[in-house]
């Protein structure tokens, strides 16, 4: 993370620990220009603000790696035997402080630092500046949410609750080092930044490629769900649900198959957009997920596919690897949610209206209103297929989580849902570490070794071996 700027690290050491592959040393000009430009005028501040989205869209973050991790570190997805050597360590969950396939913490904090620059501008707070600051606060909340859920244990686990992620509000300074905050402090900061964003937003952006108040409310609902603050999770889910109208609408069964290829669709609350000129090309998530992608190596298990009812429209979003492209003993399925069309320029959905509905249903269950939760679950299911549930008690919760799994497969949700509910990972097939208990250290990514070496205040998660 730019808590420690990797440019300052000896290059030979850096290449030794991350190996060859995607260049991690590129600096977008906004890194250099941002602090100097944020105070010039609103036009230059907007350029700095837009740089936040550029960083979030990087293939090391939401352009690929974070979503892949959410699928791969679960019972849904696997890397084929025939692969490009991408995500192979993640696939067997054999990561350590010195070896991993992904390092999203660095790139998440790139966006975090960019957001601080926008927030700390000295320009007068016109309505336009307030809007930009609101987006920056929202981005900080989003970054912290994913950082703490990747690099810290869940609240439900009760484990090592002092090991959250860093929080700071100053502009980036390579001489300043930051420690981990507690997990509770991180969630408080997510709430604070989210509420500050809501107080500053002037309007809902016309493009879903920018964060707006509805996206922030959905993030708050999700955050409270992860904290088991059920009433607040419910309240914000209802607020988002009530936004359904001209700008936002829930995707129906007929539109579901084409929804993921549609930019600025009513179902979308926030997405990261690309064009043919700024696409990550083969490093777009479609490169590993699509059957015709450059790498076409990440598939979904038969055990997931079999859960879908025959009438479920979502079952049509898979294509069987009939030719065994992946050279797997047990063949898998490629998702059709991503396409390589138009030079890998498909937008990637980060927040969808449907999440509000499922958050609400889960919160209702935990608030003790099982009958309403069941009724709303069946109402939702009717928009996907022609089956129903009649469960109660723990089985009802299992069915609610099952619908989240079916709805958001290939969108990076499953690992986080297992983690926050203290459920094991049971991969069934196409695996080596096939069962991972919810208290296992594998539910927490290790902090990269270079962070520990270069930041005296950074502590490694206790169950990983490297010590300063």
């Amino acid at each position: 993370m730019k808590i420690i700027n990797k440019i300052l690290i000896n290059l030979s050491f850096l290449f030794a620990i991350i190996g060859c592959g995607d260049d991690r040393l590129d600096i977008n000009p906004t890194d250099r220009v941002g602090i100097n430009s944020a105070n010039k005028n609103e036009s230059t501040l907007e350029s700095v603000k837009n740089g936040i989205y550029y960083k979030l869209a990087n293939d090391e973050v939401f352009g690929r790696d974070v979503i892949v991790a959410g699928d791969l570190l679960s019972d849904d997805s696997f890397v084929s035997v025939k692969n490009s050597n991408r995500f192979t360590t993640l696939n067997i969950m054999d990561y350590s402080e010195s070896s991993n396939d992904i390092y999203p913490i660095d790139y998440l904090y790139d966006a975090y630092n960019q957001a601080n620059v926008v927030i700390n501008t000295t320009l007068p707070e016109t309505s336009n500046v307030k809007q930009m600051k609101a987006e920056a606060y929202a981005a900080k909340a989003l970054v912290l949410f994913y950082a703490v859920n990747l690099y810290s244990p869940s609240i439900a686990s009760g484990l090592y609750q002092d090991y959250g992620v860093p929080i700071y509000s100053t502009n980036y300074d390579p001489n300043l080092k930051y420690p981990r905050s507690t997990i509770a402090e991180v969630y408080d900061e997510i709430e604070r930044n989210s509420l500050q964003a809501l107080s500053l937003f002037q309007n809902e952006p016309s493009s879903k490629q920018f964060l707006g108040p509805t996206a922030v409310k959905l993030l708050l609902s999700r955050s409270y769900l992860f904290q088991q603050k059920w009433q607040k999770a419910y309240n914000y889910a209802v607020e988002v649900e009530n936004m359904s109208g001209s700008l936002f609408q829930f995707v129906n069964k007929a539109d579901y198959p084409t929804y993921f290829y549609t930019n600025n669709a009513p179902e979308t609350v926030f997405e990261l957009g690309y064009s043919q000129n700024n696409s990550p090309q083969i490093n777009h998530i479609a490169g590993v997920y699509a059957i015709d992608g450059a790498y076409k190596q990440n598939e979904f298990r038969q055990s997931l596919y079999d859960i879908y009812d025959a009438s479920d429209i979502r079952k049509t979003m898979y294509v069987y690897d009939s030719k065994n492209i992946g050279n797997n003993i047990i063949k898998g399925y490629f998702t059709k949610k991503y396409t390589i069309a138009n030079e890998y320029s498909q937008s990637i959905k980060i927040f969808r209206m449907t999440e509000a509905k499922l958050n609400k249903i889960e919160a209702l269950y935990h608030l003790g209103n099982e009958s309403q939760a069941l009724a709303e679950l069946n109402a939702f299911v009717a928009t996907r297929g022609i089956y129903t549930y009649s469960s109660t008690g723990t089985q009802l919760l299992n069915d609610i989580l099952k619908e989240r799994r079916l709805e958001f497969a290939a969108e990076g949700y499953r690992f986080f849902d297992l983690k926050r509910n203290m459920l094991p990972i049971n991969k069934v097939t196409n695996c080596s570490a096939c069962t991972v208990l919810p208290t296992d250290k594998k539910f927490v990514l290790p902090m990269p070794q270079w962070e520990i070496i270069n930041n005296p205040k950074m502590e490694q998660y206790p169950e990983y071996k490297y010590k300063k």
Side-chain angles (χ1 to χ4, degrees), residues 34-260:
I35 295 175
N36 296 326
S37 298
N39 300 325
K40 286 185 178 180
N41 54 57
E42 290 187 9
S43 178
T44 56
L45 180 63
E46 186 171 18
S47 295
V48 177
K49 184 266 295 182
N50 288 343
I52 299 171
Y53 298 103
Y54 180 89
K55 294 173 187 300
L56 292 176
N58 189 290
D59 58 273
E60 306 278 355
V61 194
F62 297 115
R64 185 187 63 192
D65 288 5
V66 170
I67 296 174
V68 166
D71 294 327
L72 202 53
L73 300 178
S74 79
D75 43 1
D76 283 354
S77 181
F78 65 93
V79 172
S80 294
V81 173
K82 184 179 179 181
N83 59 68
S84 64
N85 205 34
R86 285 167 172 78
F87 308 112
T88 52
T89 299
L90 210 63
N91 184 52
I92 61 174
M93 302 183 78
D94 192 32
Y95 33 80
S96 68
E97 63 282 350
S98 59
S99 177
N100 204 348
D101 299 306
I102 64 170
Y103 301 92
I105 191 75
D106 292 332
Y107 298 91
L108 284 167
Y109 274 87
D110 278 345
Y112 188 88
N113 289 323
Q114 191 93 356
N116 276 336
V117 171
V118 174
I119 291 167
N120 294 330
T121 181
T122 58
L123 292 177
E125 273 206 346
T126 62
S127 60
N128 193 33
V129 170
K130 286 181 179 179
Q131 181 78 10
M132 288 189 277
K133 284 188 174 184
E135 291 178 61
Y137 276 114
K140 285 186 66 175
L142 180 64
V143 163
L144 289 175
F145 177 83
Y146 274 93
V148 76
N149 280 289
L150 286 167
Y151 290 92
S152 305
S154 67
I155 288 177
S157 73
L159 298 170
Y160 302 109
Q161 296 296 292
D162 289 339
Y163 286 80
V165 293
I167 297 169
Y168 53 95
S169 58
T170 57
N171 287 339
Y172 170 67
D173 181 341
N175 297 312
L176 295 178
K177 318 297 182 185
Y178 301 97
R180 290 178 182 260
S181 297
T182 68
I183 294 172
E185 288 169 342
V186 175
Y187 274 105
D188 286 345
E189 184 71 359
I190 292 169
E191 180 183 58
R192 188 189 73 81
N193 280 281
S194 297
L195 295 178
Q196 185 66 23
L198 290 177
S199 73
L200 288 170
F201 272 120
Q202 304 297 294
N203 52 61
E204 191 74 56
S206 58
S207 170
K208 305 292 182 68
Q209 295 180 18
F210 298 102
L211 288 160
T214 303
V216 172
K217 290 174 182 179
L218 189 48
L219 175 59
L220 279 169
S221 176
R222 186 193 293 184
S223 177
Y224 289 133
L225 209 64
F226 278 53
Q227 297 174 75
Q228 301 181 346
K229 295 181 178 180
W230 311 120
Q231 189 62 57
K232 287 186 175 181
Y234 171 85
N235 291 345
Y236 277 104
V238 170
E239 285 198 41
V240 174
E241 193 176 42
N242 289 341
M243 288 297 297
S244 181
S246 57
L247 190 57
F248 300 104
Q249 293 177 13
F250 294 99
V251 63
N252 58 35
K253 184 175 181 178
D255 294 335
Y256 196 90
T258 58
Y259 158 66
F260 294 93

Side-chain angles (χ1 to χ4, degrees), residues 132-397:
M132 288 189 277
K133 284 188 174 184
E135 291 178 61
Y137 276 114
K140 285 186 66 175
L142 180 64
V143 163
L144 289 175
F145 177 83
Y146 274 93
V148 76
N149 280 289
L150 286 167
Y151 290 92
S152 305
S154 67
I155 288 177
S157 73
L159 298 170
Y160 302 109
Q161 296 296 292
D162 289 339
Y163 286 80
V165 293
I167 297 169
Y168 53 95
S169 58
T170 57
N171 287 339
Y172 170 67
D173 181 341
N175 297 312
L176 295 178
K177 318 297 182 185
Y178 301 97
R180 290 178 182 260
S181 297
T182 68
I183 294 172
E185 288 169 342
V186 175
Y187 274 105
D188 286 345
E189 184 71 359
I190 292 169
E191 180 183 58
R192 188 189 73 81
N193 280 281
S194 297
L195 295 178
Q196 185 66 23
L198 290 177
S199 73
L200 288 170
F201 272 120
Q202 304 297 294
N203 52 61
E204 191 74 56
S206 58
S207 170
K208 305 292 182 68
Q209 295 180 18
F210 298 102
L211 288 160
T214 303
V216 172
K217 290 174 182 179
L218 189 48
L219 175 59
L220 279 169
S221 176
R222 186 193 293 184
S223 177
Y224 289 133
L225 209 64
F226 278 53
Q227 297 174 75
Q228 301 181 346
K229 295 181 178 180
W230 311 120
Q231 189 62 57
K232 287 186 175 181
Y234 171 85
N235 291 345
Y236 277 104
V238 170
E239 285 198 41
V240 174
E241 193 176 42
N242 289 341
M243 288 297 297
S244 181
S246 57
L247 190 57
F248 300 104
Q249 293 177 13
F250 294 99
V251 63
N252 58 35
K253 184 175 181 178
D255 294 335
Y256 196 90
T258 58
Y259 158 66
F260 294 93
Y261 317 135
T262 307
N263 293 337
N264 224 44
E267 159 77 3
T268 302
V269 177
F270 174 56
E271 65 188 359
L272 290 166
Y274 303 92
S275 68
Q276 294 184 37
N277 294 325
N278 74 358
S279 163
Q281 300 293 313
I282 60 175
N283 289 323
H284 186 283
I285 193 171
V288 292
Y289 272 1
I291 194 169
D292 54 354
Y295 307 119
K296 47 181 176 290
Q297 62 165 60
N298 287 37
E299 301 186 31
F300 290 81
R301 290 186 173 86
Q302 181 76 47
S303 55
L304 169 64
Y305 182 81
D306 288 345
I307 297 173
Y308 290 93
D309 186 83
S311 67
D312 195 330
I313 190 64
R314 297 170 297 192
K315 197 163 191 170
T316 67
M317 299 303 293
Y318 296 89
V319 55
Y320 185 50
D321 185 11
S322 60
K323 295 182 179 179
N324 204 6
I325 293 171
N327 195 29
N328 299 302
I329 296 175
I330 299 177
K331 298 176 186 177
Y333 292 79
F334 288 97
T335 179
K336 292 164 66 176
K337 286 186 175 180
Y338 303 100
T339 175
I340 68 170
N342 299 315
E343 302 293 332
Y344 293 93
S345 61
Q346 176 189 0
S347 65
I348 296 177
K349 319 305 184 190
I350 307 302
F351 288 120
R352 298 205 275 124
M353 287 292 287
T354 295
E355 183 184 349
K357 192 176 292 292
L358 290 170
N359 287 0
K360 175 187 175 183
I361 293 168
E362 187 175 342
L364 280 169
Y365 169 85
H366 286 289
L367 289 169
N369 197 338
E370 287 192 20
S371 59
Q372 187 179 351
L374 178 61
E376 299 216 14
L377 181 64
N378 282 325
F380 165 70
V381 165
T383 68
R384 300 293 183 262
I386 53 173
Y387 60 99
T388 59
Y389 293 102
S390 58
S391 47
T392 60
T394 303
Q395 185 56 50
L396 175 57
L397 177 60

